Structures are given as structure tokens and as C-alpha cells.
Amino acid sequence: MLTLFIPWIQIGPWEIPLPGDRSLPIHAFGLLVATGVLVGAKIADWRAAKSGVSPVVTADAVSWVVIVGFILAHMLDVIFYHPERLAEDPLLLFKFWQGLSSFGGFIGGVLGLWIWSRRKKFSMLMMADFIGYGFLFGWIFGRLGCFTAHDHPGKVSDFFLAVDNYQVGMPPWQPRHDLGLYEALWAIAVAILFTLLDRKKRKTGFFLALLPILYAPARFFLDFLRLSPGDAPGLGDVRYLSLTPGQWASILLFLVGIALLRYVMSKPEPSVPHWAKLDSENE
């Protein structure tokens, strides 16, 4: 029986000429991630404006989330996924272009937003709800970037969404799961769900709590499809008590989402400070 798979496509960098016979490579991964950040920030601005919050305030908060999130996305990736490489080269912790962890990015983003909200005396729950809603739509582009880079290879499979001739390890190459693609498909489905749920007024923090509740189970089960350390040198995910770091983080994230939803449903609506209101720009 003939099985059709997604063909392997490797997108090379676009070279932008620079003076002195030099060039600047632009990779599809970086372009899609940057697009995701811009889309997520724009949707967060739109959500905030609906609640009367100035886009200047939202942009300031987003910058803290992105910068701190990016830093910890790399550092926690190195610490938990590549401890052996860190032992060989401690400076790897500061080579931010070499590896990112989505859960590290989540933790860094929360830390960045906490610092911002403490400094600005603005409700962290409210701003996190705006950013979390926009983040989901940006996540689609970010994970499509992972798919173009094929940097999340999974196990060999005959599933129809597997990528054929997946170039990981030594040839002959075989069809494999691509976890970047699967998460992009998950994000598209949840973005549709959020759009439908948003037709009705929801409590501040509802979408923020729903996001980890929906993401954690999906990530937990998808990680069973990830490579093990023995499958491909340097690419397999380390296991702790038979689970990946992402699976342990998923368990914690799910519990946090449930606790947050209970908190959101039991608390009164937070207020917008006068200085942060959209109307205050015209005063």
C-alpha cells in the first residue's frame, strides 16, 4: 500500500548583499519567528484597546516579555536539555543563538511581565490576558518557523503527516514526525476556538488560564513522539524518570492553568489605572 508523506523541503537563507563583498543571511525560521512576535503584539494591542488600555502601555509590557523570555528560553534549554554541552562549554549559556526552549520562554515571559507590572503598578493578570491571547496567534508563525528549520524531529512513523526522508542521523533517511508542524496545527485549531469564544464577554484572565490548560496535555503527549538521546547524536531529548523536561513542565503548567482559572472566576475585574487609559493620551 502506497503511503503519501509530506515532502522534505529545506529552505536556504536569503543573502542580502552588504558593502565589502559581504552578505547578511536571512533565514525562514527567523523571519517567521519575527512575524509571530509582530502579529502577537498587534493582537495584544487590539485586545488591550478594547479594554481602554493605551497601545503604548501594551508595547512596553510586550518588550519586557519578549526580551526576558528570549534570554531564559535559551538558558533553560541549555541547562535542562544539554547539560553535557554546558559542562564542556559554560559560555554556551550566553550563546543565545544556539537553541531555544518554549517552556523556558514561557517562564522568562512571565518573569518579564512580573517585573514590568511591579514597576508600573498595573494588573499583571490583565496585561497577561492581553498578551496571552495575542501570543497564541503568534505561536502559529513561530512553530511554522520550527517546521521550516526541521529542528524538532520525532520518531520514525508511517503517519500521513510525517515528513518524508527526514534528514536526521545517518542515511537512509525515513519518514518522521515533525513536532514543529504538529504544534502549529494545534495553535491554528485553538486560535479558531479562541475566536469563537471571544464572541461573548469573558472575565479578565479567562483566555490566559485556558491557554495552558489546552497546551499542556497536547505537549505532554506530543513529547512521546520525540527522539530519545540514543536515536540521533545531539538531537534526542534527555529523560528524567522516563519523561522529558517538557513533559514534567506540562504537568506543572496544567496545574497552574487550573488554579489560575479558579482564581479568575472568583475574583472581581481588575481596573485600568488612569495613566494607562487610552483616553489619557489625548488629555
Side-chain angles (χ1 to χ4, degrees):
M1 178 179 176
L2 179 63
T3 303
L4 297 178
F5 300 107
I6 295 175
W8 170 274
I9 299 175
Q10 189 76 53
I11 302 176
W14 295 283
E15 300 288 344
I16 298 178
L18 296 175
D21 294 329
R22 294 179 299 169
S23 63
L24 175 65
I26 302 295
H27 295 269
F29 171 79
L31 202 58
L32 283 165
V33 169
T35 301
V37 171
L38 293 174
V39 168
K42 191 66 177 177
I43 292 178
D45 281 348
W46 168 73
R47 292 281 300 174
K50 285 178 64 177
S51 298
V53 178
S54 167
V56 175
V57 176
T58 311
D60 188 32
V62 168
S63 65
W64 277 86
V65 169
V66 171
I67 293 171
V68 181
F70 178 78
I71 291 172
L72 284 192
H74 170 72
M75 287 187 168
L76 295 184
D77 177 75
V78 173
I79 293 170
F80 289 106
Y81 284 93
H82 308 288
E84 72 292 342
R85 293 177 57 195
L86 179 61
E88 296 174 359
D89 179 16
L91 291 180
L92 183 62
L93 204 60
F94 304 99
K95 297 178 180 179
F96 297 106
W97 59 93
Q98 293 190 19
L100 298 173
S101 161
S102 55
F103 277 113
F106 296 160
I107 294 171
V110 170
L111 176 60
L113 186 58
W114 179 80
I115 295 172
W116 177 87
S117 63
R118 295 275 294 187
R119 291 177 67 248
K120 298 292 186 177
K121 303 296 189 294
F122 190 99
S123 168
M124 182 176 176
L125 178 65
M126 178 180 287
M127 185 56 70
D129 199 43
F130 301 149
I131 295 175
Y133 190 98
F135 166 83
L136 172 64
F137 291 83
W139 193 246
I140 297 172
F141 295 91
R143 280 314 193 190
L144 286 175
C146 293
F147 175 54
T148 63
H150 300 296
D151 57 357
H152 293 291
K155 296 180 180 296
V156 173
S157 173
D158 60 358
F159 184 50
F160 77 99
L161 287 178
V163 175
D164 202 9
N165 296 316
Y166 209 114
Q167 296 180 21
V168 60
M170 298 295 293
W173 294 307
Q174 303 176 74
R176 291 182 179 272
H177 297 293
D178 191 300
L179 303 182
L181 172 63
Y182 294 169
E183 283 206 24
L185 295 175
W186 170 88
I188 291 171
V190 177
I192 294 172
L193 175 64
F194 272 30
T195 302
L196 295 175
L197 291 175
D198 197 32
R199 292 179 176 178
K200 179 181 177 181
K201 175 66 176 175
R202 307 287 174 177
K203 293 199 70 172
T204 299
F206 172 80
F207 289 104
L208 176 67
L210 189 57
L211 191 59
I213 291 173
L214 295 176
Y215 179 71
R219 176 61 186 269
F220 184 87
F221 289 107
L222 282 177
D223 265 27
F224 283 115
L225 304 179
R226 287 182 177 269
L227 293 176
S228 300
D231 294 333
L235 288 176
D237 282 8
V238 64
R239 263 60 171 180
Y240 298 97
L241 299 178
S242 301
L243 297 179
T244 67
Q247 287 175 314
W248 286 112
S250 294
I251 295 172
L252 177 60
L253 187 65
F254 183 76
L255 296 176
V256 167
I258 294 295
L260 181 58
L261 184 59
R262 294 187 62 182
Y263 174 83
V264 165
M265 301 309 291
S266 64
K267 295 297 180 180
E269 287 289 300
S271 59
V272 179
H274 176 74
W275 61 268
K277 291 182 177 179
L278 190 61
D279 295 341
S280 68
E281 295 178 345
N282 301 320
E283 295 180 0

